[in-house]
Amino acid sequence: TITGAASGIMKAANEGAGREASFGLNIRLPFEQEANPVVAMDRKLITCKYFFTRKLLFIKESQATVLFPGGFGTLDEGFECLTLVQTGKADPRPIVFVDLPDGHFWKPLLEFFDQRLFKEGMVSSSDHALYHVACSPQEAADAILRFYSVYHSMRYVGDQLVLRLNRPLPEKTVARLSSDFQDIIAEGGITQGKALEEEKESQGDEPELKDLPRLILRFNRKDYGRLLELIHRINSST
């Protein structure tokens, strides 16, 4: 678990993960901001001078983003993550807004998304797939685990997008996905196979990836909301 290393919900997240499984990304400010006692004096505590460096590390070294009620910093980090995933500058990941079961912290913001951004065409309707709303920590954890239940990771090999899977899909499911997501395929369809030769040459340090099944397609590198919808469909496949 990576947090901003401060108190409150960040301390709680580090306590939940435990010291050995916690990283802290503190920020150097004109006023004092002490690291919480879980990560203080730990070798995995990093103090950043700039917010943009801190946000880069948050994204680069994690596989999911969970947003709890917070201030400008939380919104800054949340919108950075949404923008990077929406534009393909970061790989797809679960982005989860977490509230209390009877809480309304995120409701006005998400209504603004719907009533302004989506309704007025500022973002694509498929961008709904970029984020999930959870009303409990368990629901947030379930959303993250579900995202990686079948989908594992992705990479580009030339002009081909390779989606690594934890298990193969039935061929009829692959054919249906190829048909339903033809709008984001630049050429051909979606095929299922093994690691491409170019992958084998570059994965000597990642042997755990070499035998994973793959979905291979020529993605248009534009409709990332639809790509997230494809991943959600893959995870719900039987």
Side-chain angles (χ1 to χ4, degrees):
T1 297
I2 308 173
T3 78
S7 58
I9 195 67
M10 289 178 262
K11 177 186 175 185
N14 289 136
E15 286 179 332
R19 188 181 183 93
E20 287 302 312
S22 286
F23 287 76
L25 295 177
N26 207 347
I27 185 73
R28 189 181 306 157
L29 297 171
F31 50 89
E32 189 69 24
Q33 178 174 297
E34 294 184 0
N36 68 63
V38 182
V39 295
M41 305 304 292
D42 190 270
R43 64 185 179 84
K44 302 188 302 301
L45 173 66
I46 300 172
T47 299
C48 300
K49 182 178 181 180
Y50 301 108
F51 277 104
F52 71 83
T53 308
R54 189 191 199 200
K55 288 187 290 185
L56 171 64
L57 293 173
F58 272 135
I59 297 294
K60 182 178 181 294
E61 302 299 337
S62 66
Q63 286 76 49
T65 299
V66 181
L67 301 164
F68 290 87
F72 288 143
T74 298
L75 295 175
D76 177 40
E77 290 153 8
F79 279 114
E80 175 93 358
C81 189
L82 286 167
T83 301
L84 291 175
V85 174
Q86 182 204 38
T87 58
K89 292 295 186 180
D91 285 351
R93 63 170 51 218
I95 302 172
V96 187
F97 293 90
V98 186
D99 214 332
L100 296 171
D102 58 348
H104 300 285
F105 183 86
W106 296 114
K107 185 178 179 180
L109 177 64
L110 299 177
E111 287 180 345
F112 175 79
F113 287 0
D114 288 335
Q115 296 171 7
R116 294 298 181 188
L117 302 186
F118 289 106
K119 188 175 181 180
E120 297 182 15
M122 303 298 178
V123 296
S124 171
S125 61
S126 62
D127 287 335
H128 276 111
L130 296 175
Y131 58 88
H132 178 84
V133 182
C135 294
S136 70
Q138 185 60 57
E139 187 180 347
D142 290 343
I144 295 170
L145 294 174
R146 185 166 58 249
F147 189 89
Y148 294 107
S149 58
V150 181
Y151 170 79
H152 180 281
S153 56
M154 59 166 268
R155 65 162 296 176
Y156 287 98
V157 178
D159 60 356
Q160 297 183 98
L161 174 62
V162 177
L163 302 177
R164 306 183 185 100
L165 308 179
N166 291 310
R167 61 171 173 81
L169 300 180
E171 286 304 322
K172 64 178 182 180
T173 299
V174 177
R176 187 164 61 248
L177 292 173
S178 185
S179 174
D180 292 349
F181 289 89
Q182 193 64 42
D183 57 298
I184 65 171
I185 301 174
E187 181 183 349
I190 299 176
T191 60
Q192 185 166 227
K194 298 180 180 180
L196 301 177
E197 288 301 320
E198 296 90 335
E199 290 186 273
K200 295 176 182 177
E201 295 171 0
S202 63
Q203 287 181 352
D205 59 341
E206 296 179 297
E208 71 280 4
L209 301 179
K210 67 182 179 65
D211 294 325
L212 292 178
R214 268 76 164 158
L215 290 184
I216 303 164
L217 64 147
R218 297 184 188 277
F219 176 53
N220 64 13
R221 301 200 186 200
K222 181 178 65 174
D223 300 311
Y224 288 93
R226 285 286 284 157
L227 179 60
L228 266 292
E229 290 182 341
L230 171 59
I231 292 173
H232 294 324
R233 283 277 296 277
I234 290 170
N235 288 325
S236 64
S237 65
T238 57

